Amino acid sequence: MWEMREVTLTGEQLRLGAHLGVDRLLGVLKPGHVAHFERNSEGALAEIAVAEVLGMEFMPTINTFHTIGDLAGDIEVRWTGIRRGALLVRDNDVADRRFVLVTGQAPTYLVPGWAYGTDVIALGNAISEFDEDRLHV
């Protein structure tokens, strides 16, 4: 599908991701809710990075969690700031979707590969970034 790539986002992409992260957070913010501004913005920026790798137009979504995928309806993007992080899929995720691992922090991200959620769950809900036998590149 794609090869492992490093992506450096432009100023315009960074601005879009930061604003999208804030908009997503404001959509679910309520008393007692812990605000994760960085996590929401980095997640949105990771989605933009994957769209860039796939050569597709990024179509921002707000609060569509578990109803449609982050990209193209069936692609879920999972970001971690840990450079050698793992692809995580939770039991309540839609398992037949493709889950893409993105590591790094703004403005530069690494997109090492993807796996189907069912495969990740069968392996205990996580795949190491460099497990070449299980992470498609």
Side-chain angles (χ1 to χ4, degrees):
M1 180 180 261
W2 63 78
E3 61 186 51
M4 181 162 47
R5 257 187 67 194
E6 186 172 274
V7 178
T8 300
L9 300 180
T10 66
E12 183 177 326
Q13 291 169 319
L14 291 168
R15 197 168 12 268
L16 172 62
H19 286 255
L20 182 57
V22 171
D23 287 346
R24 288 177 177 176
L25 183 62
L26 292 175
V28 298
L29 198 58
K30 57 186 173 231
H33 182 86
V34 177
H36 295 285
F37 287 101
E38 178 185 19
R39 187 180 311 158
N40 279 278
S41 292
E42 290 283 4
L45 290 164
E47 292 171 20
I48 294 169
V50 172
E52 185 80 16
V53 167
L54 293 175
M56 63 190 300
E57 182 180 354
F58 177 68
M59 302 297 293
T61 60
I62 297 175
N63 302 331
T64 57
F65 191 65
H66 287 292
T67 57
I68 62 171
D70 297 322
L71 299 172
D74 73 334
I75 298 174
E76 298 287 352
V77 177
R78 292 297 159 88
W79 167 80
T80 177
I82 302 169
R83 190 68 170 177
R84 295 183 65 91
L87 177 61
L88 302 177
V89 177
R90 295 170 190 85
D91 292 330
N92 66 341
D93 283 322
V94 181
D96 62 350
R97 292 185 182 156
R98 293 173 285 174
F99 287 77
V100 181
L101 175 61
V102 179
T103 65
Q105 293 181 318
T108 304
Y109 297 92
L110 180 67
V111 184
W114 65 278
Y116 285 104
T118 50
D119 295 339
V120 180
I121 290 170
L123 294 168
N125 297 72
I127 293 180
S128 169
E129 175 181 347
F130 294 102
D131 187 344
E132 295 175 6
D133 295 332
R134 297 196 170 102
L135 194 60
H136 304 284
V137 292

